[in-house]
Amino acid sequence: MKLFIPLLLICFSLGCKKSETIAENITESKSTTQLIENPTDFYEKLSNAAISIIDPEVVYTPAYVGIKYPNGDVPAKTGVCTDVVIRAYRKLGIDLQKEVHEDMKANFSIYPNLEKWGLKTTDKNIDHRRVPNLEVFFSRKGESLPIIQNPKDYKTGDLVTWMIGDKLPHIGIVTHLKSENGNPMIVHNVGRGQVLEDCLLSWKIVGHFRYNK
């Protein structure tokens, strides 16, 4: 039986913004979003996929869960930040569970293995749901882009990782939608469901990627 892994080293915020500011920035209804009509670019399709899974009722659930392989997923109304990315890519026919597992199996030593994880081999249930692993995978199989504080440098379909409070990894997808300030809106889950939020510069950016298999 697996031990409970606090937060799975994935993502959770204890309050990075005042609640009233967060509430203003979150779009909780799919009806208020706008998809790109007839997207032809992969990253536009990824943005649409991310927006299509917006669901504030998803309960942030960081406990270890056994899932099937490939194309395994935790229960639909649960998940963490990495599950947003996994679910969006699955809508485009890309199974990150399988892709990450196969790369980790062949290159286990180059992936992070924090002491608290206690891993001696890969784990199909959780490897792809850990932000540090996704950062290595996207840097190896996709593009690593500059980490800049200018929101204009973050394009539709980019993947961004943050470190919240210097200890909690987080990840989200940049969409084509813009906030009132002109910032790219992010689909992510930091504990309030799968939502759309103006949060690019809310935390320390530690990773910037693009990935298309």
Side-chain angles (χ1 to χ4, degrees):
M1 179 178 180
K2 297 287 182 179
L3 294 176
F4 173 78
I5 304 173
L7 303 177
L8 299 180
L9 268 187
I10 299 177
C11 48
F12 189 73
S13 171
L14 297 179
C16 55
K17 289 184 177 182
K18 292 182 180 179
S19 59
E20 60 268 23
T21 301
I22 292 172
E24 291 173 359
N25 288 337
I26 297 176
T27 301
E28 294 189 343
S29 173
K30 294 179 185 178
S31 64
T32 64
T33 63
Q34 183 178 355
L35 299 179
I36 299 173
E37 292 187 13
N38 303 315
T40 56
D41 177 81
F42 175 85
Y43 298 103
E44 290 182 347
K45 293 178 182 178
L46 181 61
S47 176
N48 277 1
I51 292 169
S52 75
I53 63 172
I54 290 173
D55 184 354
E57 294 182 358
V58 170
V59 177
Y60 191 96
T61 312
Y64 181 97
V65 179
I67 58 178
K68 71 173 185 176
Y69 176 87
N71 289 307
D73 195 6
V74 297
K77 287 295 184 178
T78 69
V80 289
C81 62
T82 48
D83 295 308
V84 173
V85 177
I86 294 160
R87 288 164 175 167
Y89 270 93
R90 283 226 175 101
K91 283 187 169 290
L92 302 183
I94 297 175
D95 179 15
L96 288 173
Q97 180 191 27
K98 179 175 181 291
E99 299 301 322
V100 171
H101 170 69
E102 290 183 350
D103 195 53
M104 284 190 69
K105 186 176 180 180
N107 304 280
F108 186 72
S109 64
I110 69 174
Y111 278 83
N113 186 5
L114 303 188
E115 184 177 352
K116 64 175 62 181
W117 295 354
L119 296 177
K120 294 182 179 180
T121 185
T122 58
D123 186 336
K124 298 173 184 176
N125 296 302
I126 191 64
D127 287 337
H128 61 299
R129 300 184 66 221
R130 286 178 164 143
V131 173
N133 287 342
L134 289 183
E135 289 175 319
V136 172
F137 176 80
F138 291 139
S139 66
R140 283 174 47 75
K141 300 296 183 177
E143 297 178 72
S144 290
L145 302 174
I147 298 172
I148 300 173
Q149 295 303 306
N150 186 348
K152 293 182 179 179
D153 288 309
Y154 294 83
K155 308 301 182 184
T156 299
D158 283 2
L159 301 161
V160 180
T161 61
W162 300 267
M163 187 63 71
I164 299 175
D166 294 324
K167 61 181 179 180
L168 300 174
H170 185 51
I171 191 169
I173 300 175
V174 178
T175 72
H176 61 280
L177 299 176
K178 298 293 190 295
S179 69
E180 292 182 358
N181 295 326
N183 296 331
M185 301 286 279
I186 309 293
V187 175
H188 71 138
N189 181 356
V190 75
R192 299 175 296 276
Q194 294 177 176
V195 296
L196 180 71
E197 185 178 6
D198 178 6
C199 64
L200 177 64
L201 302 180
S202 294
W203 313 290
K204 180 182 178 181
I205 299 173
V206 295
H208 182 196
F209 311 95
R210 286 173 82 79
Y211 173 70
N212 178 5
K213 182 181 176 183

